[in-house]
Amino acid sequence: MKFQKIKTHPLNKCYSISQISHKGEECILVAAEKQDECFLFDLEGNLKDTIWDGPGGTMSMVRIPNKDSMFLATHKFYSPNDSKESKIVVVTYKADGDWDIQTLVDLPHVHRFDIISRNGVNYLFAATLCSGRDFKDDWAHKGKVYVAKLPDDLSGYNQNNQLKLNVIKDELLKNHGYFKGQQNGHGYSVIAAEDGVFKFVPPADENGEFEITQLLDTPASDITFLDFDQDGDLEMVVFSPFHGENLDVYKLKDGKYEHVYKHPKPFEFSHALWPVNNMAILGHRQGAQELISLACENGTFKFDVIDKGVGPANVYSYLKGGQRYVVSANRETDEIAWYKAEMPLDEIANEMRKCVIEGVYRAKSGHPGGSLSICDILAVLFFEQMNIDPKNPKNPDRDRFVLSKGHAAPALYSALATRGFFPASDIKTLRNIDSYLQGHPCMNKIPGVDMSTGSLGQGLSAANGMAMIAKHDKKDFRVYVVCGDGEIQEGQIWEAAMTAAHYKLDNLTLFVDVNGLQIDGPTTEVMGVGDVAKKFDAFGFNAISIDGHDLDQIRQAIETAKQTKGKPTAVICNTTKGKGVSYMENQLGFHGAAPNDKQYEIAMEELGGFKS
């Protein structure tokens, strides 16, 4: 994946990066290591606000689950305070436009902290580099790991009323590295220290104790976990020792992490580290001061230099409009930098699935199963094949798309949001009474929707009309329509099929989502549809059968349709209902049911999603 530097903003000794929701929109926070500002940017890197001018010393910033315009941050960690006065603060946006900052807890030498959750309980998790210093480079006093239940209402905390913390692990020195993960539907934290790497799992019962497991017994600095080889197990990427020059990768084998890769060159003053699916973004602050990407292809680790001579302190990555962005706090050049790369199509489809789960979960209703089964089809159409423009959604020469199985609206909304037709954060409003994103798509309210649908069987007729107009007006746009295998039990589908063949609508392509399940049961039991490809062939279509999750087969089917003259094309897509979420796959119950809290967490964990 190649990245292009697209924007910079000056900030002296920039360091910490995070993402929050502000006024309902996703934004990026970047704060300084010393006595300087904290800035708020939109996802395109435009400055929106200055949160504070000082005191700085911000090592970590963390969004608070389900809170808008509110986050936690460390203050006064670094010079001239030398971390003795460091604290965790609550930062809240006020109606008058100012940001209120109150002390949550004084915690000398705190460097990394986070909020992890299990069974509806949020825990503040914090680690200190040491527990005291007699002079600047004194490391004789080992640090500790602290935990506290985090109340939902933080408005009453201040310098005189602080959150009380409990020590769950002591005698750890230089607790600098941190990773937050998800497993079995709940969060966990990993701390990397001079004494090794330790995993902390919150209790199933809020009155229980954290489970602590040592993963490595060798010194470590920054760490992260990702699935380089896509085998379902996370590899561990480790810098060592403290701010050291070693970059190593460990693979989980028989329950233990074994060393599998050592970077051939010294990674001088290693620091920045962030996982991006099966790729790591890394940086170091001395020597060549590079920002690089590390991936594994066919068992061989390969790296690419994204930028050099910048000295990244921290990096962060996010998606917007079908593109991957990396924000780097280039500390040694005092600049915040944005880098952009085109996102692989499989990653786009996965991002769409996250949006489907997010929307249906927030709505507590909807149709996840049949939405997840068509995400790969929509990804190819909306990001590669269709002539569409989010900035001009009504362009008369655009290609058209009709979602005949309108109950799969979450998939369409996810494609449109990921493509940039409207903010992705609006997915959270799905089916709300005052939201424009209702249970079925509406062409009069939603940018990018070409036809209002919901009553099954009617979409192909509407698509026929669009294709006939294109023929009549000698326009080059093409028309794509998706229907379900349960939907083709409707008689109108076959009337429309005869019409499309009679008028030789070779500018129309129909995708049939054959996932085998409908609301009342398996299609074979409710009303068998037989050999779908042969049926459409008999009705005068060019019928093609494919794996509806194979991106190359979807691409080739579309190219074949474009080359076919004198008849419409029907692409029979064999798919898995609930694709991508293990407990939803081929499960009738998730045709029209939302995941509960635990199921939501498991789904987002499996999809690698961020829970907000």
Side-chain angles (χ1 to χ4, degrees):
M1 185 182 294
K2 300 297 182 182
F3 290 87
Q4 178 186 6
K5 196 173 192 175
I6 59 170
K7 185 169 291 190
T8 63
H9 192 282
L11 178 59
N12 183 50
K13 297 299 175 277
C14 51
Y15 189 92
S16 183
I17 310 172
S18 188
Q19 184 171 348
I20 67 166
S21 172
H22 177 53
K23 297 181 179 179
E25 295 186 10
E26 290 298 307
C27 296
I28 299 297
L29 292 168
V30 186
E33 182 181 48
K34 294 194 173 184
Q35 288 183 306
D36 294 281
E37 300 93 341
C38 173
F39 292 133
L40 181 77
F41 299 90
D42 64 22
L43 293 186
E44 294 182 348
N46 301 306
L47 182 64
K48 293 177 67 71
D49 203 354
T50 299
I51 310 295
W52 62 69
D53 294 317
T58 304
M59 300 292 103
S60 300
M61 297 182 290
V62 176
R63 70 191 295 162
I64 303 173
N66 303 316
K67 299 289 185 183
D68 185 76
S69 305
M70 190 175 182
F71 64 98
L72 303 182
T74 51
H75 271 185
K76 293 188 175 183
F77 177 87
Y78 202 67
S79 175
N81 306 293
D82 204 21
S83 79
K84 294 180 181 179
E85 300 177 18
S86 58
K87 60 179 65 180
I88 299 175
V89 298
V90 183
V91 186
T92 308
Y93 184 75
K94 297 297 185 182
D96 60 5
D98 290 333
W99 293 84
D100 179 67
I101 302 172
Q102 297 292 337
T103 298
L104 179 64
V105 59
D106 288 318
L107 189 57
H109 313 291
V110 62
H111 187 271
R112 300 295 190 197
F113 79 92
D114 209 334
I115 299 171
I116 56 175
S117 305
R118 186 170 187 180
N119 294 336
V121 180
N122 293 326
Y123 298 91
L124 180 70
F125 181 91
T128 56
L129 281 178
C130 59
S131 57
R133 280 180 176 167
D134 297 326
F135 50 91
K136 183 176 180 179
D137 292 320
D138 175 19
W139 293 106
H141 310 286
K142 290 196 172 186
K144 302 177 181 180
V145 177
Y146 299 82
V147 163
K149 294 176 190 174
L150 190 69
D152 185 63
D153 183 4
L154 299 177
S155 60
Y157 290 96
N158 53 50
Q159 187 65 43
N160 299 318
N161 181 37
Q162 299 190 19
L163 184 67
K164 298 193 182 333
L165 302 176
N166 297 308
V167 176
I168 61 170
K169 180 70 175 175
D170 58 9
E171 295 300 305
L172 292 180
L173 184 60
K174 300 178 181 177
N175 305 321
H176 186 272
Y178 179 77
F179 173 81
K180 177 181 179 178
Q182 290 284 321
Q183 66 174 31
N184 301 324
H186 60 77
Y188 66 89
S189 292
V190 179
I191 291 290
E194 192 78 5
D195 307 274
V197 177
F198 298 83
K199 179 179 179 180
F200 297 80
V201 179
D205 183 336
E206 61 182 292
N207 296 315
E209 297 182 354
F210 271 64
E211 176 189 331
I212 305 174
T213 306
Q214 187 164 5
L215 304 181
L216 284 183
D217 58 6
T218 55
S221 189
D222 290 271
I223 55 166
T224 195
F225 293 78
L226 65 149
D227 191 359
F228 277 117
D229 53 14
Q230 301 289 283
D231 67 350
D233 290 326
L234 299 182
E235 283 74 62
M236 183 188 337
V237 184
V238 181
F239 290 150
S240 67
F242 184 60
H243 289 162
E245 63 181 18
N246 299 316
L247 165 58
D248 297 278
V249 178
Y250 295 81
K251 184 170 179 59
L252 190 63
K253 295 181 180 180
D254 298 324
K256 295 183 179 181
Y257 280 96
E258 297 183 6
H259 187 270
V260 295
Y261 172 77
K262 184 175 185 61
H263 196 59
K265 298 193 304 180
F267 220 63
E268 300 174 68
F269 204 103
S270 57
H271 211 281
L273 187 54
W274 191 265
V276 180
N277 291 330
N278 60 339
M279 176 179 67
I281 307 294
L282 317 95
H284 59 108
R285 289 166 45 183
Q286 291 181 3
Q289 299 180 334
E290 294 170 321
L291 178 69
I292 74 168
S293 64
L294 178 68
C296 185
E297 299 178 8
N298 300 318
T300 301
F301 285 92
K302 297 182 179 181
F303 70 93
D304 288 306
V305 176
I306 298 173
D307 206 352
K308 62 178 63 176
V310 293
N314 284 291
V315 289
Y316 185 84
S317 182
Y318 60 91
L319 304 172
K320 183 181 186 298
Q323 292 180 312
R324 167 70 62 185
Y325 292 83
V326 167
V327 186
S328 180
N330 293 337
R331 181 189 184 276
E332 306 312 314
T333 54
D334 298 322
E335 72 169 15
I336 308 163
W338 276 260
Y339 304 84
K340 183 173 72 171
E342 293 293 331
M343 188 166 47
L345 200 61
D346 58 346
E347 190 175 338
I348 291 174
N350 195 61
E351 183 65 19
M352 289 167 53
R353 289 188 167 96
K354 297 175 196 174
C355 289
V356 168
I357 296 299
E358 186 71 37
V360 175
Y361 168 72
R362 298 289 170 187
K364 303 303 180 188
S365 65
H367 297 80
S371 296
L372 294 172
S373 64
I374 63 171
C375 284
D376 299 297
I377 300 167
L378 299 195
V380 175
L381 286 172
F382 280 80
F383 290 86
E384 281 191 358
Q385 297 292 333
M386 290 175 62
N387 175 28
I388 52 176
D389 182 0
K391 297 179 181 179
N392 185 16
K394 293 296 185 182
N395 179 4
D397 295 322
R398 73 190 184 279
D399 288 338
R400 270 65 168 181
F401 176 80
V402 178
L403 181 66
S404 191
K405 46 178 281 183
H407 56 279
L412 176 56
Y413 299 161
S414 297
L416 292 170
T418 307
R419 187 70 169 80
F421 280 84
F422 53 80
S425 57
D426 287 359
I427 291 289
K428 297 177 184 179
T429 72
L430 176 68
R431 289 180 165 236
N432 288 359
I433 192 66
D434 56 350
S435 173
Y436 64 104
L437 300 178
Q438 286 301 306
H440 294 86
C442 177
M443 61 189 295
N444 297 321
K445 295 182 179 180
I446 306 173
V449 173
D450 293 315
M451 176 54 59
S452 301
T453 55
S455 296
L456 293 176
Q458 298 181 359
L460 183 56
S461 296
N464 281 347
M466 297 174 187
M468 292 171 72
I469 287 294
K471 292 277 190 183
H472 181 272
D473 292 347
K474 295 181 171 54
K475 294 285 188 178
D476 293 329
F477 69 78
R478 298 188 62 82
V479 183
Y480 300 92
V481 57
V482 171
C483 69
D485 53 350
E487 183 182 9
I488 64 174
Q489 296 163 353
E490 301 279 351
Q492 185 170 338
I493 287 288
W494 301 105
E495 294 178 42
M498 286 189 290
T499 301
H502 178 80
Y503 288 100
K504 298 179 172 58
L505 300 181
D506 51 17
N507 56 348
L508 181 144
T509 303
L510 167 68
F511 294 87
V512 184
D513 176 27
V514 182
N515 61 44
L517 295 172
Q518 59 190 109
I519 192 169
D520 291 324
T523 54
T524 54
E525 296 179 8
V526 177
M527 179 65 68
V529 295
D531 190 323
V532 179
K534 286 184 177 180
K535 274 191 168 66
F536 276 98
D537 182 73
F539 272 74
F541 276 65
N542 170 37
I544 307 170
S545 294
I546 66 168
D547 177 346
H549 301 304
D550 187 312
L551 300 176
D552 287 334
Q553 290 189 35
I554 298 169
R555 292 185 182 107
Q556 185 56 53
I558 295 172
E559 289 303 318
T560 299
K562 290 178 179 179
Q563 300 302 318
T564 299
K565 302 302 179 184
K567 61 169 62 177
T569 294
V571 184
I572 314 307
C573 302
N574 297 293
T575 65
T576 300
K577 196 146 189 165
K579 178 68 174 179
V581 179
S582 60
Y583 63 84
M584 289 188 180
E585 290 190 353
N586 293 315
Q587 296 301 308
L588 179 63
F590 282 101
H591 173 90
N596 59 31
D597 292 350
K598 181 69 173 291
Q599 291 168 335
Y600 164 70
E601 291 180 348
I602 292 173
M604 294 304 269
E605 174 191 337
E606 292 181 352
L607 295 169
F610 176 77
K611 305 196 308 301
S612 58

